[in-house]
């Protein structure tokens, strides 16, 4: 029973025309598969979606996996399929890690507690009377640590000193503003000039007194 699903998939292929049974897998617009790429951390759950847009509601949906990079010589392994009458049939060795469910027109593949070995290319497929259709595939990468995006470094600008103006009702003293600062500077300049004039006058008086004393004692 371990390969029941795979045998059913193989028998359905054998029942088709030779051109269908021997064809290689290529993406089809009839099955809309999302996402195209997903990166999941180890032990988390990955969810893949497959929507059958132009197929009847009773269409059987298969899920396949390819561990190697896609090529014409690639080997796909059977995972599970959903059937409206039989429900979900899983590969016996993988059933503990898979949950296939139905959401309106979409079939969901849930991979539980993923490991790096689960990385690969996943596709959903259907088998019609004369046509093999499948989604465009989802590349799943399982990593131990998700990459982080480096935050852009911002150049620090010096903080400007802000002169805070208090409430006019509660403030004490003179308000802080350009006019007040200008008046303070002007006052200091006047004080310095006055001090300089006073010193100059003091020197003149002293010189005059010394000159008078010299003339008096001659």
């Amino acid at each position: 029973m371990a390969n029941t699903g795979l045998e059913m998939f193989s028998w359905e292929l054998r029942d088709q025309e030779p051109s269908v049974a021997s064809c290689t897998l290529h993406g089809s617009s009839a099955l809309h598969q999302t996402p195209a790429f997903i990166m999941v951390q180890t032990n988390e759950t990955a969810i893949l979606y497959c929507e059958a847009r132009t197929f009847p509601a009773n269409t059987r949906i298969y899920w396949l996996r390819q561990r190697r990079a896609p090529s014409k010589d690639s080997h796909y392994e059977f995972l599970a399929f959903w059937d409206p009458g039989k429900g979900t049939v899983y590969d016996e060795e993988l059933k503990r890690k898979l949950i296939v469910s139905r959401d309106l027109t979409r079939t969901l593949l849930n991979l539980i507690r993923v490991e790096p070995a689960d990385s690969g290319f996943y596709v959903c497929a259907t088998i019609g009377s004369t046509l093999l259709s499948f989604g465009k595939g989802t590349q799943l990468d399982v990593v131990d640590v998700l990459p982080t995006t480096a935050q852009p470094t911002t150049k620090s600008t010096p903080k400007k000193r802000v002169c805070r103006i208090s409430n006019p009702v509660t403030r004490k003293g003179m308000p802080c503003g350009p006019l007040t600062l200008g008046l303070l500077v002007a006052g200091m300049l006047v004080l310095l000039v006055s001090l300089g004039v006073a010193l100059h006058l003091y020197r003149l008086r002293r010189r005059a007194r010394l000159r008078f004393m010299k003339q008096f004692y001659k």
Side-chain angles (χ1 to χ4, degrees):
M1 293 296 292
N3 296 321
T4 301
L6 179 59
E7 291 176 357
M8 296 184 68
F9 182 71
S10 301
W11 277 109
E12 288 198 37
L13 280 179
R14 292 171 188 172
D15 291 340
Q16 311 309 315
E17 295 180 0
S19 60
V20 175
S22 61
C23 70
T24 58
L25 297 178
H26 298 285
S28 169
S29 60
L31 290 177
H32 181 62
Q33 186 175 341
T34 55
F37 173 80
I38 182 173
M39 181 177 290
V40 182
Q41 195 169 4
T42 303
N43 293 326
E44 296 295 331
T45 299
I47 304 177
L48 283 58
Y49 302 88
C50 183
E51 181 179 4
R53 291 179 170 179
T54 59
F55 293 93
N58 60 350
T59 301
R60 180 180 291 177
I61 303 294
Y62 289 89
W63 283 99
L64 310 173
R65 176 172 64 186
Q66 180 186 41
R67 296 182 185 271
R68 294 169 47 195
S71 67
K72 62 182 180 180
D73 298 325
S74 298
H75 170 69
Y76 285 85
E77 59 179 317
F78 169 80
L79 301 178
F81 74 80
W82 178 87
D83 183 88
K86 298 181 180 180
T88 304
V89 176
Y90 298 94
D91 179 272
E92 289 296 328
E93 296 180 358
L94 300 173
K95 62 184 302 183
R96 62 182 180 83
K97 300 189 63 175
L98 304 174
I99 297 178
V100 176
S101 57
R102 186 76 171 176
D103 177 17
L104 298 178
T105 60
R106 299 185 304 176
T107 301
L108 287 66
L109 174 64
N110 296 263
L111 293 98
I112 305 170
R113 296 187 297 275
V114 293
E115 302 172 357
D118 295 319
S119 300
F121 190 70
Y122 291 74
V123 294
C124 60
T126 62
I127 302 175
S129 57
T130 59
L131 182 65
L132 171 64
S133 301
F134 42 90
K136 294 186 177 181
T138 297
Q139 177 63 43
L140 170 65
D141 286 350
V142 181
V143 295
D144 292 329
V145 179
L146 292 175
T148 57
T149 303
Q151 297 295 329
T153 57
T154 57
K155 186 177 180 180
S156 60
T157 56
K159 294 184 178 180
K160 295 182 179 180
R161 298 184 63 183
V162 179
C163 185
R164 299 183 180 275
I165 301 178
S166 59
N167 193 321
V169 178
T170 60
R171 71 186 177 189
K172 296 181 180 180
M174 298 189 64
C176 181
L179 180 60
T180 303
L181 294 177
L183 292 175
L184 290 174
V185 172
M188 293 183 66
L189 290 176
V190 170
L191 183 61
L192 290 174
V193 170
S194 300
L195 182 60
V197 171
L199 289 173
H200 181 65
L201 291 175
Y202 173 78
R203 290 175 181 174
L204 289 177
R205 286 183 191 143
R206 190 176 179 209
R207 288 177 183 174
R209 192 156 90 183
L210 290 174
R211 191 178 299 117
F212 175 77
M213 294 292 292
K214 289 179 180 180
Q215 292 176 358
F216 180 80
Y217 287 105
K218 279 183 179 181

